Amino acid sequence: MPRIAICAPATPITREQADRVLALAAAEFPQLTLEFDPQCFAADGHFAGPDEMRLAALLDCAASGADAVWFAKGGYGSNRIVADAVERLAGREVNQQWFGYSDCGYLLAAAERYGIARAVHGPMPVDIRREGGEQAVRRALAWFAGDRSGLEGGLDGQPAAPFNLTTLAMLCGTRFLPDLTNRVVIVEEVAEHLYAIDRLFFHVTEHLRGIAGLRLGRISDVPENDRPFGSDAEHIARDWCARSGIPYLGRADIGHDAANRIVPFGLA
């Protein structure tokens, strides 16, 4: 019976959200055992408890023997514990999945870089609060149960590296970014102005030379600027790929929404 350990490396979820996820799992995936660490509900300012508490919960979940560590929510904060997590876990031999997206991409990248877990981009428990969120959570639970129907449809057997665009930009130049050579990098973003998207692509494309290509997920909830930017997100991505000699490979079905699909790092 697969065991899924759940912690919140960045910001907290509510007990009501966790209860809804547990109820869905019990009704439709009784073969799974879900274990929410109490840390998921802690609060310390912005964060789901202080750095030390969030790190301890992650390490406990990683050492629990669970088949997967499921990140409860993104937000901001995973980067604050990634160095200590790597120091404590590097060199271990484990066949455990780490599963989440957005801000948790710091941990997914480090897991891939240092081989401390098999990193997978996919929906998180907090997505239960979205419109249609039950389907997003169901997609993740089905994955844990062995159903691969939730995979993003355009992977085509190529090794992938999925990221939130801001998270990728912050990872560039750090020791936590895995080697992306010959991988298809897939990016998505939420709640950023188009000029910020342009600025992020300026930065990341300088660090992506040698990748197999770039695919663009959804750029959603774009704030309205005081004047039109003059191009949309896809034009921005195409433009910076062309400037950098990176093949632009089209759109991808990932994003901050209930339709967010599953993309393993490396080969699906």
Side-chain angles (χ1 to χ4, degrees):
M1 178 177 290
R3 288 179 51 233
I4 316 302
I6 305 167
C7 62
T11 59
I13 63 169
T14 67
R15 292 186 182 274
E16 184 270 339
Q17 291 163 353
D19 287 343
R20 290 179 61 192
V21 172
L22 289 169
L24 177 59
E28 300 184 26
F29 300 91
Q31 70 272 43
L32 300 179
T33 298
L34 271 59
E35 301 168 353
F36 279 89
D37 191 290
Q39 173 270 327
C40 292
F41 317 114
D44 182 54
H46 171 86
F47 305 103
D51 292 350
E52 296 78 8
M53 176 186 286
R54 302 196 319 282
L55 174 64
L58 172 63
L59 296 175
D60 286 347
C61 287
S64 68
D67 297 280
V69 177
W70 196 11
F71 300 133
K73 185 183 177 185
Y76 169 72
S78 299
N79 61 310
R80 294 171 59 90
I81 65 173
V82 67
D84 288 331
V86 166
E87 182 179 345
R88 297 286 293 275
L89 296 173
R92 72 173 187 158
E93 295 183 7
V94 65
N95 192 33
Q96 185 180 69
Q97 295 184 59
W98 285 9
F99 196 100
Y101 72 104
S102 190
D103 178 83
C104 294
Y106 295 108
L107 294 172
L108 298 178
E112 175 75 3
R113 168 67 177 82
Y114 292 96
I116 57 181
R118 291 183 291 121
V120 183
H121 162 109
M124 297 182 290
V126 71
D127 288 316
I128 197 78
R129 70 184 183 180
R130 299 186 187 277
E131 182 179 356
E134 293 85 357
Q135 188 57 37
V137 171
R138 188 176 288 115
R139 189 177 306 119
L141 294 172
W143 174 271
F144 296 137
D147 181 350
R148 297 299 180 253
S149 62
L151 278 169
E152 204 278 333
L155 297 177
D156 296 331
Q158 296 178 292
F163 290 100
N164 169 262
L165 182 58
T166 297
T167 302
L168 175 59
M170 296 301 102
L171 282 163
C172 287
T174 74
R175 65 186 188 274
F176 307 112
L177 186 68
D179 183 3
L180 302 179
T181 304
N182 296 324
R183 296 200 188 194
V184 175
V185 173
I186 308 174
V187 295
E188 55 81 27
E189 190 52 88
V190 64
E192 293 286 354
H193 288 85
L194 287 173
Y195 67 79
I197 299 297
D198 192 77
R199 182 168 57 207
L200 288 165
F201 269 111
F202 155 73
H203 179 67
V204 299
T205 51
E206 284 297 309
H207 293 268
L208 296 182
R209 300 176 192 274
I211 68 171
L214 182 137
R215 296 176 63 206
L216 181 66
R218 283 179 288 283
I219 307 297
S220 57
D221 298 335
V222 176
E224 186 174 348
N225 197 25
D226 60 351
R227 69 194 70 188
F229 184 69
S231 59
D232 62 17
E234 183 163 20
H235 181 271
I236 292 168
R238 286 181 178 275
D239 179 43
W240 284 107
C241 283
R243 291 170 184 244
S244 306
I246 294 170
Y248 177 75
L249 302 178
R251 303 306 300 262
D253 196 7
I254 67 170
H256 275 65
D257 51 44
N260 186 27
R261 307 293 287 185
I262 295 169
V263 181
F265 281 68
L267 291 171

